[in-house]
Amino acid sequence: MEVRWLFVYSQTMNIDEIKELLSSPKNIVITTHKNPDGDAIGSSLALLHYLLSLGHNALVITPNEYPDFLKWMPGEDTVLKYNGQAQVAQSKIKEADLIFTLDFNHLSRSGDMEDTLAKANTTFVMIDHHQQPDSYATYVYSDTEMSSTCQMIYHFIEKLDDLDKITPEIASCIYVGIMTDTGSFRFRSTTSKTHQVVADLIDYGADNTSIHERVYDTNTLSRLQLKGVALKNLKVLQEYSTAYITMSQKELDQHNFKKGDTEGFVNIGLSIEGIKFAVIFIENRKEGIIKISLRSKGDFSVNEFSRSHFEGGGHHNAAGGKSNLSLSDTVGKFISILPSYNKLLNQ
């Protein structure tokens, strides 16, 4: 698959300008979206290690915390969390000569960091694979057909002629993001090129078995019990080839919910024979919203569905959204919308 490079600064630019930017030591901030996942943290830490190897003063700042199953990753202990260290983070952003924004393409996705980033008078580089990128960045590498931002980081380093600088640490971080964003290499975005990159990462020192175990095979009793609640709450709307799960705040609290505990639960519905569209609705009283994750098979676009009805977006077969209604009213709204998609869902 051909990598599409779009570097914009009032006119088309090429990779040589990025090489020039990185040719001398700089203060660099790397940041990603709110509620970071494996691709967000993996790409951020991989780029961190690479920039440090070039002699830059680089730092990763996340908008908030992320799941414990990502906290073994090399360099994770240096990450600055904006929601708990806002003043320090604001100072670092203000001092930055260069800011990389990874795995998101609109500043609103950075949560409480949005205003600070918007006011930063510096050069931005966006690397992202989501649809409809905004125009805040000076340099943009956008490819919506790419499996993950982590795969894009690999190609970014490749384009800079620095693949020989990929260490086992960098390889491991990139592997995490590709593995998680492709659903362990089963989503349609997984191409032959993705597998070639993954093979290279293993050769560079990524321990694929250990990484998979650390991310997927480490459960707490409470998380497994929470999964049981999700299975109990699973509803199937056969006439729309749709399944959905609800998780109330009370149910989360009863099972000592921690960030990341519901990761992958939305795919339970999609695993049912005949189901084309799966959704999970998770109540978050602290933020006053219902968080929504959407997945689909085939040609049904959850990106368009979420953008149209739930203030969200993402990829063709994987997206997120939110609702300010109650949990029951959100589900009611969702069900009321489905008849208008009946033809698409039953093709």
Side-chain angles (χ1 to χ4, degrees):
M1 181 176 66
E2 181 180 358
V3 178
R4 299 194 301 273
W5 292 85
L6 176 63
F7 291 102
V8 180
Y9 181 67
S10 75
Q11 57 181 327
T12 303
M13 297 289 183
N14 57 43
I15 194 66
D16 290 335
E17 298 207 9
I18 299 297
K19 288 182 178 180
E20 179 63 28
L21 275 175
L22 299 177
S23 65
S24 59
K26 286 181 172 59
N27 293 323
I28 301 178
V29 165
I30 304 163
T31 192
T32 189
H33 58 77
K34 184 180 179 182
N35 300 321
D37 56 9
D39 193 27
I41 297 299
S43 58
S44 297
L45 290 175
L47 183 60
L48 172 71
H49 290 298
Y50 170 67
L51 293 174
L52 290 175
S53 76
L54 298 181
H56 296 289
N57 178 28
L59 173 72
V60 174
I61 303 176
T62 60
N64 60 345
E65 273 286 1
Y66 39 86
D68 286 348
F69 60 75
L70 298 174
K71 292 186 176 179
W72 59 270
M73 295 173 65
E76 183 280 328
D77 57 336
T78 68
V79 174
L80 196 65
K81 285 86 171 179
Y82 187 91
N83 66 337
Q85 300 163 290
Q87 286 189 331
V88 178
Q90 287 166 3
S91 176
K92 295 295 183 182
I93 291 170
K94 187 176 181 180
E95 296 169 359
D97 302 309
L98 192 60
I99 297 177
F100 281 86
T101 62
L102 307 184
D103 204 36
F104 72 99
N105 57 27
H106 196 287
L107 293 182
S108 62
R109 294 282 284 114
S110 62
D112 292 340
M113 291 178 63
E114 179 181 3
D115 188 54
T116 302
L117 290 172
K119 291 178 179 177
N121 183 25
T122 191
T123 301
F124 280 81
V125 180
M126 177 204 300
I127 302 178
D128 178 65
H129 66 137
H130 296 88
Q131 297 181 14
Q132 298 175 280
D134 201 7
S135 57
Y136 66 84
T138 308
Y139 298 97
V140 177
Y141 172 20
S142 175
D143 190 340
T144 60
E145 295 182 3
M146 198 67 70
S147 74
S148 55
T149 299
C150 270
Q151 185 177 339
M152 296 175 76
I153 292 295
Y154 177 94
H155 293 307
F156 181 70
I157 296 173
E158 179 181 38
K159 197 72 174 180
L160 291 166
D161 300 318
D162 274 342
L163 286 182
D164 61 332
K165 289 186 170 61
I166 294 184
T167 61
E169 291 75 22
I170 294 175
S172 296
C173 293
I174 294 177
Y175 190 100
V176 168
I178 296 177
M179 179 186 72
T180 55
D181 246 34
T182 60
S184 292
F185 314 106
R186 73 180 186 273
F187 295 158
R188 182 176 292 182
S189 60
T190 309
T191 64
S192 59
K193 183 62 177 178
T194 306
H195 284 292
Q196 290 167 14
V197 169
V198 166
D200 287 346
L201 295 174
I202 293 172
D203 288 342
Y204 283 124
D207 186 337
N208 55 307
T209 300
S210 175
I211 291 170
H212 191 281
E213 289 175 350
R214 286 173 178 267
V215 173
Y216 292 120
D217 297 342
T218 303
N219 282 302
T220 61
L221 177 60
S222 59
R223 184 178 188 273
L224 288 174
Q225 291 173 332
L226 189 63
K227 190 172 185 178
V229 174
L231 287 166
K232 181 181 177 182
N233 292 352
L234 176 65
K235 299 289 188 296
V236 174
L237 304 174
Q238 206 71 54
E239 64 271 33
Y240 302 118
S241 304
T242 295
Y244 70 89
I245 293 170
T246 57
M247 304 291 294
S248 70
Q249 186 68 63
K250 181 179 179 181
E251 289 168 327
L252 297 175
D253 292 343
Q254 286 175 338
H255 295 86
N256 304 309
F257 171 76
K258 292 192 296 183
K259 189 177 292 293
D261 278 356
T262 58
E263 185 80 20
F265 284 10
V266 65
N267 295 314
I268 294 172
L270 207 59
S271 69
I272 300 172
E273 184 178 2
I275 296 301
K276 190 173 185 177
F277 184 23
V279 183
I280 186 169
F281 302 94
I282 303 174
E283 185 176 22
N284 187 316
R285 286 183 187 161
K286 183 177 180 181
E287 295 185 23
I289 62 171
I290 306 301
K291 293 186 175 182
I292 307 170
S293 291
L294 309 92
R295 300 290 185 270
S296 68
K297 292 178 180 177
D299 56 3
F300 184 73
S301 174
V302 290
N303 173 58
E304 292 180 9
F305 185 94
S306 184
R307 284 183 184 276
S308 298
H309 305 290
F310 291 107
E311 302 179 49
H315 305 289
H316 183 81
N317 295 122
K322 67 177 182 178
S323 168
N324 295 313
L325 302 174
S326 68
L327 182 58
S328 60
D329 287 347
T330 298
V331 173
K333 175 183 174 180
F334 171 71
I335 294 174
S336 73
I337 293 167
L338 290 177
S340 61
Y341 289 88
N342 185 52
K343 185 176 180 180
L344 285 172
L345 289 168
N346 286 292
Q347 283 180 346

